[in-house]
Amino acid sequence: MLKIAIEENEKDLIKEIENNFKNLLTELEILNTETRFSGELDKHDCYIEIHPGAGGTESCDWAEMLLRMYIRWAEQKKFKYEIIEEQSGEVAGIKSATISIEGENTFGWLKNESGIHRLVRISPFDSNAKRHTSFASVWIYPKIEEEIEITIEDKDLKIDTYRASGAGGQHVNKTDSAVRITHLPTKIVVQSQNSRSQHQNKAECMKMLKSRLYEMEVAAREAETNEANANKSEIGWGNQIRSYVMQPYQLVKDTRNGIEESNVQSVLNGNIDKFLIGKR
């Protein structure tokens, strides 16, 4: 068809064929990626935890932008998502958030998003319009089914309750229904305020804690024979995996593989497949 279009100088048809070819390549890349979801946990649903770094309101706002990005990505995939816990910032943004995403191979898709994400922009909170750099951490871990046996001793848990925060009005609980659980041996902290029931929030926390502990065990086993997984498990503060630069130029760049995208707003609207595919 392309040969005929070239011979007949059908420019519109040539352009259409080129666009269809690019779309086909994208679909093939996605399908090829999904065939490689062979990890023990890749087919599981997952949780996403987001925390701002140092920087006050700037970082809190950046953390909320990342939360929106992953929600938009889930919506595009037609995956189900639910905000399990969200703590609002004092001025803007969020102090923390945990969401669950359910869909085919969600952990396989997102597992390499764990790490530090860096934003460079002209601050909307700075009256002098200076450029600011903000950091936020993202942590992805799989949902573990109930049949998996994880032993957790009561003596290893510190359980706190507090009043859930939200947008205000009828959505703010009048009782201390939100729950925070700290696993003392590992220092893992999980929290839930999604339900008005303290018991339901505690159950959700225990489910998240089991998932975190199981994921740690799997990562430890993989690290013994897979250096890449060992490095992944050691992601620390200051080791950004991706930079999102809005000023003085527009560029999103993955620091691990060099994949770039100049349309920053598109990425922040959830179009992150090229980064998810490129990391495999």
Side-chain angles (χ1 to χ4, degrees), residues 2-14:
L2 180 60
K3 182 179 179 181
I4 295 173
I6 293 173
E7 290 176 351
E8 299 294 330
N9 197 28
E10 294 283 352
K11 294 182 179 179
D12 289 342
L13 182 56
I14 293 172

Side-chain angles (χ1 to χ4, degrees), residues 119-133:
L119 172 70
V120 180
R121 65 171 175 174
I122 300 295
S123 170
F125 307 102
D126 188 339
S127 58
N128 295 317
K130 292 184 177 180
R131 194 164 69 243
H132 285 246
T133 299

Side-chain angles (χ1 to χ4, degrees), residues 76-272:
Q76 291 171 19
K77 294 290 184 187
K78 302 195 183 313
F79 291 163
K80 179 182 177 182
Y81 70 88
E82 183 179 19
I83 297 177
I84 302 298
E85 177 270 336
E86 182 178 353
Q87 295 289 321
S88 299
E90 294 178 2
V91 177
I94 56 173
K95 292 181 178 179
S96 70
T98 303
I99 63 174
S100 72
I101 299 184
E102 298 178 359
E104 187 175 2
N105 297 318
T106 49
F107 181 67
W109 273 106
L110 293 171
K111 61 184 179 182
N112 287 319
E113 288 293 284
S114 291
I116 308 304
H117 295 246
R118 170 178 172 260
L119 172 70
V120 180
R121 65 171 175 174
I122 300 295
S123 170
F125 307 102
D126 188 339
S127 58
N128 295 317
K130 292 184 177 180
R131 194 164 69 243
H132 285 246
T133 299
S134 306
F135 295 90
S137 66
V138 174
W139 180 256
I140 314 290
Y141 56 100
K143 282 190 176 184
I144 303 303
E145 302 301 327
E146 290 295 330
E147 60 264 21
I148 300 225
E149 293 291 336
I150 300 288
T151 302
I152 301 176
E153 301 286 345
D154 289 342
K155 63 181 177 61
D156 292 335
L157 300 178
K158 179 178 182 291
I159 302 176
D160 299 304
T161 58
Y162 58 97
R163 187 161 298 180
S165 65
Q170 62 180 343
H171 300 293
V172 177
N173 288 352
K174 306 301 182 184
T175 59
D176 292 345
S177 61
V179 176
R180 180 186 299 109
I181 296 180
T182 304
H183 186 247
L184 300 176
T186 61
K187 309 301 182 187
I188 290 174
V189 178
V190 293
Q191 47 195 5
S192 174
Q193 63 177 39
N194 188 49
S195 171
R196 292 182 180 272
S197 164
Q198 186 181 115
H199 294 293
Q200 290 179 358
N201 283 327
K202 182 179 178 182
E204 184 68 40
C205 280
M206 291 300 295
K207 186 177 178 181
M208 288 191 287
L209 179 58
K210 287 181 178 181
S211 293
R212 288 282 297 272
L213 291 172
Y214 186 75
E215 193 268 345
M216 284 181 63
E217 281 296 318
V218 172
R221 292 202 304 267
E222 290 178 344
E224 292 178 358
T225 56
N226 190 323
E227 184 176 353
N229 280 337
N231 291 334
K232 177 180 67 119
S233 68
E234 294 169 4
I235 289 174
W237 199 253
N239 297 322
Q240 61 263 20
I241 63 170
R242 192 176 303 138
S243 292
Y244 307 70
V245 181
M246 303 182 77
Q247 276 93 16
Y249 52 86
Q250 297 267 316
L251 184 69
V252 179
K253 182 174 181 178
D254 196 294
T255 59
R256 295 164 296 181
N257 54 34
I259 288 179
E260 299 180 351
E261 171 57 58
S262 59
N263 191 339
V264 180
Q265 197 55 55
S266 175
V267 173
L268 294 177
N269 282 333
N271 296 310
I272 58 175

